[in-house]
């Protein structure tokens, strides 16, 4: 099954902290939503529509290349909070951002955190095609950097590994990310998130050749479920548990949080089983069993929602895609139910959205029901995107591709997750949801 990919979270790598303890620890990172779309900025409606279209296209490119297939813990540790700036203001990318550091002495970078990707990678000195004005990592300036050699277990875990220098040479790999491709050499060094436990020998890629403009300019840390993801490389510290609360895309406050480890997670949270797709093992699949609009069930055939690894059908959670994308029959049913509840004339399509209104409307809630059952009800702020300057409101969801392996995939995206605590307990196979107002 060909790859899938998706835009992201941005974390900055900060001061190095190392504790040689195997106790599971917990850390909390504050996050702020990058403003890839600014509907209240007073821009002309044509500019707003263009920004929506650009973000919708970026979401489509991400979903079209999402990474394809290729227990009990001892509690302990501490919590920490990391202030984050919007990625839109700093890097002009539609991501969530935080600080961190890589190497010894630490070199500061802003890297995307991608829950649907595994391998970490950063631009290294002399990279061809990397953003020329962006900081890059200099391995020669770090006393703790070590290349990963061909024949090592880590080399076998990266996508498309190669050994152009022969046995014993540095391990290289190629990867497609959204509309870009890159070549990287595999290495290891100390990676630390602010006020959290550092990983002394974190495996990541050093970018040397990049084609296209989709690659985050200062790199990425994958939070997927594969062997080279952050969860896997820090499982002895954080027990393969993390959660986040994403603030509203309209917020400029540093109020969102990413929490690492089982300590400090909500004690009362509604949980649904975490599913696994062997063809796409990195992705966070859940079993969506129903959708309601305005409290009334949407007539969606169970077969259109059912999880089926063989066909790729199912539902994933992703914080990199901005707007939820539903398979064509599911989206059509939700859209039609939404229009019936609103009972107002629909304006022309705008920025990739086909259900927009240029008059004031009462917005119904939309609820996603997952196995359990667990119902996650979305208020107006998670349902529509508004332009105050143009007086337009659009249903902030879209249909997925009409055909191909991703035609049956539903992606619950960041706008629909905002102001909810979403818990990923990989160790116990659970995904949890609770309402949390992290927008201030």
């Amino acid at each position: 099954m060909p790859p899938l990919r998706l835009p992201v979270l941005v974390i900055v790598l900060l001061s190095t902290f190392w504790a040689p303890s195997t106790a599971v620890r917990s850390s909390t990172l504050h996050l702020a939503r990058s403003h890839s779309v600014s509907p209240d900025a007073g821009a002309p409606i044509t500019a707003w529509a263009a920004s929506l279209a650009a973000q919708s296209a970026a979401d489509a490119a991400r979903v079209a290349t999402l990474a394809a297939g290729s227990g009990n813990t001892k509690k302990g540790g501490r919590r920490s909070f990391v202030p984050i700036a919007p990625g839109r203001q700093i890097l002009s990318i539609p991501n969530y951002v935080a600080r961190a550091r890589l190497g010894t002495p630490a070199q500061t970078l802003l890297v995307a955190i991608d829950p649907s990707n595994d391998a970490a990678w950063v631009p290294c000195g002399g990279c061809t095609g990397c953003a020329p004005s962006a900081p890059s990592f200099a391995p020669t300036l770090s006393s703790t950097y070590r290349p990963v050699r061909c024949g090592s277990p880590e080399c076998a875990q990266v996508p498309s590994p190669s050994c152009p220098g022969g046995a014993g040479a540095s391990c290289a790999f190629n990867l497609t990310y959204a509309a870009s491709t890159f070549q990287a050499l595999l290495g290891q060094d100390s990676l630390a998130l602010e006020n959290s436990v550092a990983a002394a020998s974190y495996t990541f890629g050093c970018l040397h050749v990049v084609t296209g403009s989709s690659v985050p300019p200062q790199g990425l840390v994958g939070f997927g479920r594969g062997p080279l993801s952050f969860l896997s490389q820090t499982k002895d510290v954080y027990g393969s548990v993390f959660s986040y609360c994403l603030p509203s895309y309209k917020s400029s406050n540093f109020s969102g949080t990413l929490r690492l480890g089982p300590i400090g997670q909500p004690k009362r949270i509604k949980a649904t089983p975490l599913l696994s797709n062997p063809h796409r093992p990195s992705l966070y699949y859940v079993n969506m069993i129903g959708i309601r609009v305005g409290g009334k069930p949407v007539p969606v055939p169970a077969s259109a929602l059912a999880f089926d690894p063989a066909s790729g059908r199912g539902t994933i959670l992703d914080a990199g895609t901005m707007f939820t994308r539903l398979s064509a029959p599911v989206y059509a049913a939700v859209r039609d139910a939404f229009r019936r509840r609103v009972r107002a004339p629909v304006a022309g399509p705008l920025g990739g959205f086909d259900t927009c209104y240029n008059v004031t409307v009462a917005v119904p809630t939309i609820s996603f029901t997952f196995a359990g059952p667990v119902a996650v009800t979305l208020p107006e702020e998670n349902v529509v995107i508004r332009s105050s300057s143009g007086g337009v409101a659009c249903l902030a969801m879209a249909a997925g591709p009409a055909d191909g392996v991703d035609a049956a995939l539903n992606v619950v995206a960041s706008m629909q997750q905002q102001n909810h605590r979403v818990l990923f307990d990989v160790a116990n196979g659970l995904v949890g949801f609770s309402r949390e107002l992290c927008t201030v």
Side-chain angles (χ1 to χ4, degrees), residues 10-18 26-31 78-84 97-103 106 109 111-113 190-199 202 220-223 230-231 234 238 242 258-261:
V10 172
I11 229 184
V12 185
L13 307 172
L14 257 165
S15 52
T16 302
F17 302 90
W18 173 248
S26 298
S27 299
T28 300
L29 304 169
H30 277 275
L31 300 174
R78 61 193 176 196
R79 296 179 58 185
S80 61
F81 294 82
V82 178
I84 300 303
V97 300
R99 290 192 179 94
R101 288 187 178 180
L102 179 66
L109 293 171
V111 301
I113 291 188
S190 175
L191 172 72
L193 309 183
E194 185 179 16
N195 296 329
S196 66
V197 179
Y202 198 93
L220 175 148
V221 172
F223 262 65
F230 183 89
L231 261 65
T234 64
Y238 293 121
F242 75 100
L258 168 66
R259 297 178 183 175
L260 308 175

Side-chain angles (χ1 to χ4, degrees), residues 54-118:
Q55 183 58 54
S56 182
D59 283 351
R62 179 177 172 87
V63 172
T65 56
L66 254 173
S70 11
N72 292 327
T73 55
K74 181 181 178 181
K75 295 184 177 181
R78 61 193 176 196
R79 296 179 58 185
S80 61
F81 294 82
V82 178
I84 300 303
R88 179 64 177 178
Q89 296 180 15
I90 297 177
L91 299 177
S92 297
I93 57 176
N95 305 322
Y96 292 86
V97 300
R99 290 192 179 94
R101 288 187 178 180
L102 179 66
T104 307
Q107 300 177 40
T108 300
L109 293 171
L110 284 169
V111 301
I113 291 188
D114 189 344
S116 298
N117 192 76
D118 292 329

Side-chain angles (χ1 to χ4, degrees), residues 68-70 118-120 148-162 171-175 186 188 203-204 226-229 232-233 235 281-282:
S70 11
D118 292 329
V148 172
R149 303 297 181 184
C150 291
S152 67
E154 293 84 1
C155 185
Q157 293 169 345
V158 295
S160 306
S162 62
C171 176
F173 70 97
N174 302 324
L175 192 66
L186 206 59
Q188 292 181 331
T203 303
F204 65 97
L228 290 182
S229 72
S232 295
Q233 294 199 55
K235 65 181 179 181
S282 296

Side-chain angles (χ1 to χ4, degrees), residues 42-406:
I45 192 65
T46 52
W48 182 63
S51 70
L52 288 182
Q55 183 58 54
S56 182
D59 283 351
R62 179 177 172 87
V63 172
T65 56
L66 254 173
S70 11
N72 292 327
T73 55
K74 181 181 178 181
K75 295 184 177 181
R78 61 193 176 196
R79 296 179 58 185
S80 61
F81 294 82
V82 178
I84 300 303
R88 179 64 177 178
Q89 296 180 15
I90 297 177
L91 299 177
S92 297
I93 57 176
N95 305 322
Y96 292 86
V97 300
R99 290 192 179 94
R101 288 187 178 180
L102 179 66
T104 307
Q107 300 177 40
T108 300
L109 293 171
L110 284 169
V111 301
I113 291 188
D114 189 344
S116 298
N117 192 76
D118 292 329
W121 32 266
V122 300
C124 288
C127 173
T128 301
C130 289
S133 60
S136 61
F137 176 66
T140 57
L141 298 181
S142 174
S143 62
T144 49
Y145 177 81
R146 299 291 183 271
V148 172
R149 303 297 181 184
C150 291
S152 67
E154 293 84 1
C155 185
Q157 293 169 345
V158 295
S160 306
S162 62
C163 294
S170 293
C171 176
F173 70 97
N174 302 324
L175 192 66
T176 296
Y177 188 85
S180 297
T181 59
F182 64 78
Q183 301 172 17
L185 293 176
L186 206 59
Q188 292 181 331
D189 211 333
S190 175
L191 172 72
L193 309 183
E194 185 179 16
N195 296 329
S196 66
V197 179
S201 299
Y202 198 93
T203 303
F204 65 97
C206 231
L207 299 185
H208 286 281
V209 179
V210 173
T211 303
S213 59
S214 301
V215 171
Q218 297 186 38
L220 175 148
V221 172
F223 262 65
R225 302 162 69 181
L228 290 182
S229 72
F230 183 89
L231 261 65
S232 295
Q233 294 199 55
T234 64
K235 65 181 179 181
D236 290 339
V237 179
Y238 293 121
S240 298
V241 178
F242 75 100
S243 73
Y244 53 64
C245 181
L246 309 179
S248 168
Y249 65 88
K250 295 182 289 186
S251 173
S252 59
N253 295 312
F254 309 144
S255 56
T257 58
L258 168 66
R259 297 178 183 175
L260 308 175
I263 308 274
Q265 303 297 352
K267 299 195 179 295
R268 294 184 179 181
I269 192 166
K270 299 176 291 185
T272 189
L274 173 63
L275 306 179
S276 297
N277 182 341
H279 301 294
R280 292 170 175 166
S282 296
L283 303 183
Y284 292 97
Y285 277 87
V286 290
N287 187 14
M288 183 157 61
I289 59 176
I291 303 176
R292 290 174 176 263
V293 173
K296 293 187 177 181
V298 176
V300 177
S303 60
L305 295 176
F307 174 62
D308 181 11
S311 68
R313 184 175 60 236
T315 300
I316 66 168
L317 300 174
D318 181 66
T321 307
M322 186 167 183
F323 303 113
T324 288
R325 305 184 79 84
L326 302 172
S327 63
V330 176
Y331 174 72
V334 171
R335 175 202 61 202
D336 293 347
F338 184 86
R339 290 178 177 180
R340 286 193 298 268
R341 293 286 300 192
V342 171
R343 294 182 180 178
V346 177
L350 185 66
F353 298 104
D354 64 4
T355 301
C356 298
Y357 302 90
N358 53 19
V359 296
T360 301
V361 297
V363 178
T365 60
I366 293 181
S367 298
F368 295 136
T369 302
F370 304 101
V374 173
V376 179
T377 299
L378 308 179
E380 179 176 337
E381 66 183 65
N382 299 77
V383 174
V384 297
I385 184 168
R386 294 183 179 276
S387 169
S388 59
S389 60
V392 176
C394 297
L395 174 63
M397 300 181 188
D403 50 34
V405 295
D406 300 327

